[in-house]
Amino acid sequence: MAAKPEPKALTRKPLLLNKVEGSQEVVNMAAIVPKEDGVISVSEDRTVRVWLKRDSGQYWPSIYHAMPSPCSCMSFNPETRRLSIGLDNGTISEFILSEDYNKMTLVKNYQAHQSRVMMILFVLEMEWVLSTGQDKHFTWHCSESGQRLGGYRTSASACGLQFDVETRHVFVGDHSGQVTILKLEQESCSLVTTFKGHTGGVTALCWDPIQRVLFSGSSDHSIIMWDIGGRKGTAIELQGHNDKVQSLSYAHHTRQLISCGADGGIVVWNMDVERQETPEWLDSDSCQKCDQPFFWNFKQMWDSKKIGLRQHHCRKCGKAVCGKCSSKRSSIPLMGFEFEVRVCDSCHESITEEERAPTATFHDSKHNIVHVHFDATRGWLLTSGTDKVIKLWDMTPVVS
């Protein structure tokens, strides 16, 4: 079994500010309350909790509300204090929180899906509630009337959901690995395009409306940066996790991407560098360096009286090579490879030490993260996990 790649040492570490414990099951999602020392969480144990920091320095629930079904996701709008909660039974319940965050009042329920709600977005500008479900449907509702405005069937259940207010484009990432872009009108939608670059399901999406770049995280452990605004079709891979990517957040002011995974890793990527697209892997019946035949090339094996070799690919140039011609390993951070990967011998010689300089920093959160929320105003990161714990981090040493 191959050794697990180890990332480079982190020089600047996030600081653990607090741990919030008390949930009986997985905390599926949590959010920092802006301008307050507070946290909102939803859990598989059917509870919605608002945790406020007490004089003791610990967080205690000011609201403890039991829902009729496990809480799968949430969306909180601080301007209106509107809290939308997705449930395992397909319902979205909408509440308004009081100014002191000690009371929540039910406004309405949406029968949005036939099964578990996977993701919710409340769009204040449109007064829309967008959602995806395990029933393979994307839907949107009017938050004023509660009326369903429309829907679209996806190729698989979808966990990734993002929306661009300016163009009214919605991005839906599903478990088949596909990302679908839809154009929404008040009561209709049209398919713009679909694209696929992951070998596993899309588990998280993050949209940068300024650079017009979409980030997708996947169960294949990778992140892809899609150039949507440039219309060049550029797709740049980022490899920095040893397990599936669970959640993504983007710090616009510093152009840093924060990714968290089931491996417990928090990775902060510097996106303010000129990154390179990974090459397409080339097809060949023989090594493109030494011309030795690969094991399926029976004719050349017979003609040259040589045993066929296994095919590999150089991650830098994309050429098909044999093991002997690709015995070296190197990190290529500008191509997204923060771990060492296979390269051919000539590419290994051409990579300089400057090109090996890391463009990401790594930290072990010591819990299996399922979701993150980043508060850019304070530089705080909230991670919630399968260990029933919420952790609050000061990211300013890293995201700066």
Side-chain angles (χ1 to χ4, degrees):
M1 184 171 152
K4 224 163 76 164
E6 292 299 326
K8 295 175 175 61
L10 176 67
T11 54
R12 299 169 297 168
K13 294 185 178 182
L15 303 173
L16 181 62
L17 298 174
N18 225 310
K19 284 172 68 176
V20 182
E21 300 175 284
S23 299
Q24 303 303 308
E25 294 290 343
V26 176
V27 181
N28 284 316
M29 202 170 283
I32 298 167
V33 180
K35 301 176 184 176
E36 296 281 344
D37 272 331
V39 171
I40 304 170
S41 69
V42 296
S43 171
E44 205 68 30
D45 65 8
R46 300 192 300 116
T47 64
V48 182
R49 308 186 199 207
V50 178
W51 311 79
L52 295 181
K53 192 175 182 180
R54 307 304 182 186
D55 292 339
S56 64
Q58 296 303 306
Y59 287 84
W60 293 94
S62 62
I63 294 175
Y64 179 103
H65 184 86
M67 300 295 290
S69 181
C71 306
S72 52
C73 56
M74 60 171 267
S75 176
F76 178 62
N77 181 265
E79 292 178 49
T80 60
R81 299 189 307 281
R82 191 181 321 211
L83 178 63
S84 307
I85 300 163
L87 302 180
D88 190 61
N89 64 11
T91 303
I92 296 173
S93 294
E94 191 174 275
F95 296 86
I96 296 293
L97 300 184
S98 62
E99 286 189 40
D100 60 5
Y101 291 94
N102 282 308
K103 184 182 179 183
M104 54 190 284
T105 304
L106 179 65
V107 178
K108 62 175 73 73
N109 287 316
Y110 307 86
Q111 299 305 316
H113 296 277
Q114 298 299 311
S115 56
R116 187 179 179 92
V117 183
M118 303 297 288
M119 192 63 70
I120 306 171
L121 281 179
F122 170 64
V123 184
L124 179 61
E125 294 87 347
M126 311 279 114
E127 289 288 348
W128 286 346
V129 177
L130 316 179
S131 63
T132 60
Q134 219 166 39
D135 60 359
K136 302 181 182 178
H137 275 87
F138 159 75
T139 66
W140 75 104
H141 290 75
C142 173
S143 63
E144 293 178 311
S145 66
Q147 178 187 354
R148 178 185 167 116
L149 298 175
Y152 182 88
R153 185 173 174 84
T154 55
S155 57
S157 62
C159 295
L161 181 62
Q162 291 285 282
F163 182 72
D164 181 58
V165 174
E166 184 184 337
T167 62
R168 295 191 182 185
H169 285 162
V170 65
F171 306 94
V172 182
D174 65 45
H175 282 162
S176 74
Q178 181 173 286
V179 177
T180 302
I181 304 180
L182 304 170
K183 169 84 171 183
L184 295 193
E185 302 299 343
Q186 187 60 30
E187 295 184 6
S188 66
C189 74
S190 56
L191 177 65
V192 177
T193 189
T194 61
F195 47 90
K196 190 171 182 178
H198 291 287
T199 56
V202 175
T203 50
L205 291 180
C206 184
W207 172 242
D208 174 13
I210 299 168
Q211 301 294 325
R212 308 201 67 72
V213 166
L214 182 73
F215 300 96
S216 61
S218 171
S219 58
D220 66 9
H221 310 180
S222 75
I223 300 163
I224 297 180
M225 183 178 88
W226 306 91
D227 180 9
I228 304 294
R231 302 183 184 278
K232 299 173 184 174
T234 307
I236 293 172
E237 281 190 57
L238 304 174
Q239 301 278 354
H241 288 278
N242 289 311
D243 206 333
K244 68 177 176 178
V245 179
Q246 295 278 51
S247 191
L248 300 170
S249 189
Y250 189 69
H252 299 276
H253 63 299
T254 57
R255 293 194 66 187
Q256 287 172 300
L257 178 72
I258 301 169
S259 63
C260 296
D263 56 2
I266 300 174
V267 184
V268 180
W269 304 84
N270 177 14
M271 303 311 298
D272 201 23
V273 293
E274 192 67 38
R275 293 187 176 273
Q276 301 166 22
E277 203 170 0
T278 50
E280 291 286 334
W281 283 5
L282 302 176
D283 292 323
S284 180
D285 290 328
S286 57
C287 176
Q288 294 181 299
K289 293 292 181 180
C290 68
D291 204 36
Q292 284 270 70
F294 293 132
F295 62 82
W296 60 81
N297 188 351
F298 298 112
K299 184 180 185 305
Q300 190 176 345
M301 285 164 56
W302 177 263
D303 292 344
S304 62
K305 301 295 187 288
K306 291 177 180 177
I307 297 173
L309 303 175
R310 184 182 171 190
Q311 178 184 260
H312 300 282
H313 283 92
C314 172
R315 299 307 191 269
K316 191 172 191 298
C317 67
K319 288 183 177 178
V321 289
C322 67
K324 186 178 178 183
C325 293
S326 58
S327 59
K328 304 289 198 319
R329 301 289 184 275
S330 176
S331 60
I332 321 173
L334 293 180
M335 281 188 166
F337 298 113
E338 294 288 334
F339 300 146
E340 290 194 341
V341 290
R342 180 185 294 272
V343 292
C344 66
D345 292 354
S346 56
C347 280
H348 186 269
E349 290 174 12
S350 70
I351 300 171
T352 65
E353 283 305 310
E354 288 78 10
E355 289 176 310
R356 291 191 177 96
T359 63
T361 53
F362 299 82
H363 178 66
D364 183 7
S365 71
K366 294 184 169 56
H367 73 148
N368 184 326
I369 299 171
V370 294
H371 189 261
V372 300
H373 177 245
F374 181 64
D375 180 356
T377 59
R378 287 179 284 190
W380 289 359
L381 184 76
L382 200 67
T383 59
S384 50
T386 58
D387 54 3
K388 312 169 192 176
V389 173
I390 302 166
K391 292 185 178 182
L392 186 64
W393 308 86
D394 181 1
M395 298 295 290
T396 50
V398 184
V399 184
S400 59

